Every structure is written in structure tokens, then in C-alpha cells.
């Protein structure tokens, strides 16, 4: 299923039908449900037609005001899953449950560190271009992942970012300034380590592309490797050992978050 096909079919369509059924049973129009939950009439229409994926917050609000008896809440996990591109859905679930995460970023700032403005710039430059509603959905999903920084118990999270990534002016100087400030702020958290790989470094652990090492609560280590519109999760020890070994041997030394 392509990124665009994921919305308007499957779980979003099922949720939309349930939402419309509950709203109609309550005798409300879309405008009234929107007023009671803080959303516009057009947004409610998009939810009901499966064209837009609602947040956990909206689902909780709709459940409460409509007296849904758990019908909508049963779909929360699935709705959170489909808000991501199909190739990232399994990795997003593992990331949410991980006790430790290690990111090696090559082309852009890692999604977990991105500001709203930077994330929107990244999605806006996609070719072929994404429509506005898809961009907003992707931005919201990316920002929602950042709840992992304040989750209890805390996960151990580390990042290695190329110096060149911090010099790219994606979105313009103002957007990049805000992004660098966010990296500095998140880097101050006790469970987060951010390292910068200098351009002058002669060894590179990710010439094959970005990768993420995920450690689960049952002490499994999984390697997530992403390519164009596809990804792989590797669980066998011999394959996972390869990026793990490279990261350990060639990890960048701690450096400043701004070049």
C-alpha cells in the first residue's frame, strides 16, 4: 500500500463510519461535534470520510462527548499505527516500546529531534509533492513520537549526526536556528546523548545510509534500515551485529550541537 492509499481506506474508513454513526445517533451535525471537541466542521467531515487521521486527543474527546462505550477507543492503537507511512509502521511501534534507541543520521536531522517547522519543510520538499493534508498529518505524527523523551520509565536515546546535516539550511535560516536550539535543549536531558560527526572525520559508519538500533525490554537488539519508500527490520544476531559493530568502532566523539 502506498503512502497516499493508507488514508481513506482500511482503519481510517472504519473509524470514520463509527464516528458518523455515533454522531448521527446523538442527533448532532458535524458543526456541533466540532464545536464540542474544538475542531472545524470540515475537519470532522475529513475524519468521517477517512481522509484524515485523528489524533489520540480527538478520539478521547469524541469518545467522551458521544458516550461511545469504548467503540472509538478500541481503534486508538490502530489509528496511531496508520498515521505513519506503511514502511515505518512496524518500526514506530518498536520505537515507542524501546528501552534504548541509537540513531545514526545522514541526510536530515532525526525525526525525534525535529521542530514542527523543520519537519514541515522536510515533507514539503518531497517529490512528487505531498498534498497539504498529508503533510500536516505526517508532521503531527512525527511530533507525537517525541513523547518518548518524557515517558516513564525513561528510554536511553543517543544520536550521531553528521556535521553537514547541521549546516543545511532546510526551510531557511530562521527554521534552522530554531532546529539547532531544539537539538541543544533536548541534548540537555539526562537520558539523551547527541554526538556530531565532523566533516573531517576519515571513517564513516553509515556509508550505506541511516540506521537505527532498537533495544527492547526483553534485551533484544533490532536494526532498522530505511531506504526510498521501504524499510527493513533485522532481528538475526549476525545482521544486527554489523551496524552495531560499525557504530561502536567508528562512533563520533561528543561534539557541539552547532557547527
Amino acid at each position: 500500500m502506498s503512502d497516499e492509499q493508507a488514508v481513506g481506506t482500511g482503519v481510517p474508513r472504519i473509524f470514520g463510519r463509527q464516528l458518523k454513526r455515533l454522531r448521527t445517533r446523538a442527533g448532532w451535525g458535524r458543526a456541533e461535534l466540532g464545536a464540542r471537541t474544538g475542531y472545524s466542521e470540515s475537519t470532522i467531515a475529513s475524519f468521517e470520510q477517512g481522509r484524515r487521521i485523528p489524533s489520540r486527543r480527538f478520539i478521547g474527546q469524541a469518545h467522551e462527548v458521544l458516550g461511545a462505550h469504548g467503540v472509538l477507543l478500541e481503534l486508538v492503537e490502530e489509528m496511531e499505527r496508520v498515521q505513519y507511512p506503511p514502511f515505518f509502521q512496524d518500526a514506530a511501534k518498536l520505537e515507542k516500546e524501546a528501552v534504548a534507541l541509537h540513531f545514526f543520521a545522514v541526510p536530515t536531522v532525526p525525526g525525534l529531534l525535529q521542530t514542527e517547522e523543520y519537519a514541515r519543510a522536510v515533507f514539503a520538499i518531497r517529490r512528487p509533492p505531498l498534498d497539504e493534508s498529508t503533510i500536516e498529518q505526517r508532521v503531527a505524527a512525527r511530533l507525537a513520537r517525541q513523547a518518548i523523551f518524557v515517558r516513564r520509565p525513561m528510554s536511553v536515546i543517543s544520536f550521531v549526526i553528521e556535521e553537514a546535516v547541521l549546516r543545511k539550511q532546510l526551510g531557511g535560516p530562521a527554521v534552522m536556528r530554531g532546529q539547532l536550539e531544539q537539538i541543544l535543549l533536548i541534548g540537555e536531558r539526562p537520558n539523551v546523548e547527541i554526538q556530531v560527526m565532523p566533516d573531517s572525520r576519515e571513517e564513516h559508519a553509515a556509508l550505506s545510509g541511516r540506521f537505527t538500533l532498537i533495544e527492547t525490554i526483553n534485551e533484544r537488539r533490532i536494526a532498522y534500515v530505511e531506504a526510498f519508500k521501504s524499510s527493513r527490520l533485522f532481528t538475526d544476531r549476525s545482521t544486527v551485529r554489523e551496524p552495531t559493530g560499525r557504530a561502536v568502532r567508528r562512533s563520533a566523539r561528543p561534539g557541539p550541537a552547532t557547527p
Side-chain angles (χ1 to χ4, degrees):
M1 183 180 293
S2 72
D3 297 356
E4 289 72 23
Q5 289 172 324
V7 178
T9 61
V11 176
R13 180 65 61 84
I14 293 171
F15 175 88
R17 288 173 178 171
Q18 294 286 4
L19 181 65
K20 182 177 180 179
R21 184 176 296 113
L22 290 165
R23 175 182 61 77
T24 303
R25 187 186 69 181
W28 297 346
R30 288 170 174 165
E32 184 169 359
L33 177 58
R36 290 172 180 263
T37 55
Y39 291 81
S40 68
E41 182 178 357
S42 62
T43 298
I44 298 299
S46 295
F47 290 158
E48 291 186 349
Q49 294 163 8
R51 294 187 290 107
R52 184 171 176 179
I53 298 176
S55 65
R56 176 184 285 264
R57 175 175 172 271
F58 170 80
I59 295 174
Q61 290 176 316
H63 166 79
E64 183 175 348
V65 300
L66 291 170
H69 303 292
V71 173
L72 299 180
L73 295 182
E74 290 177 353
L75 296 171
V76 169
E77 296 298 328
E78 285 301 316
M79 292 297 284
E80 287 191 341
R81 178 180 171 83
V82 299
Q83 69 182 327
Y84 301 111
F87 66 82
F88 184 66
Q89 290 174 4
D90 290 336
K93 184 176 186 299
L94 286 168
E95 177 185 273
K96 186 176 180 181
E97 301 170 352
V99 297
L101 292 163
H102 310 280
F103 296 86
F104 206 114
V106 180
T108 60
V109 172
L112 279 181
L113 294 175
Q114 290 180 10
T115 64
E116 179 177 347
E117 294 76 15
Y118 185 94
R120 185 171 288 108
V122 169
F123 289 124
I125 61 176
R126 283 275 301 272
R127 292 295 181 271
L130 299 173
D131 61 73
E132 190 62 30
S133 63
T134 300
I135 291 175
E136 293 306 311
Q137 171 201 319
R138 297 286 175 80
V139 170
R142 180 155 293 182
L143 297 180
R145 289 169 54 202
Q146 296 175 4
I148 195 172
F149 289 122
V150 295
R151 190 187 68 184
R152 294 292 185 273
M154 291 191 298
S155 300
V156 176
I157 309 173
S158 69
F159 302 87
V160 176
I161 308 174
E162 284 188 335
E163 179 183 338
V165 170
L166 303 180
R167 294 185 181 278
K168 293 177 182 177
Q169 297 295 303
L170 292 182
V175 169
M176 199 60 204
R177 177 181 291 276
Q179 179 60 72
L180 294 175
E181 290 175 351
Q182 171 135 313
I183 291 173
L184 286 170
L185 288 172
I186 294 178
E188 293 177 354
R189 294 182 178 276
N191 60 321
V192 176
E193 179 184 45
I194 300 176
Q195 301 180 78
V196 176
M197 174 179 281
D199 288 341
S200 59
R201 191 166 182 83
E202 297 180 1
E203 293 183 324
H204 198 304
L207 289 178
S208 298
R210 73 168 75 197
F211 61 86
T212 303
L213 299 175
I214 304 169
E215 296 182 24
T216 67
I217 194 169
N218 57 358
E219 299 184 352
R220 293 180 63 202
R221 178 166 280 195
I222 299 170
Y224 170 72
V225 180
E226 185 176 313
F228 178 68
K229 285 195 174 184
S230 64
S231 65
R232 291 284 304 275
L233 284 167
F234 296 97
T235 57
D236 61 286
R237 291 186 178 182
S238 60
T239 304
V240 174
R241 190 178 296 119
E242 184 177 344
T244 303
R246 292 201 308 267
V248 171
R249 291 194 308 270
R250 303 176 183 176
S251 176
R253 295 180 178 179
T258 52

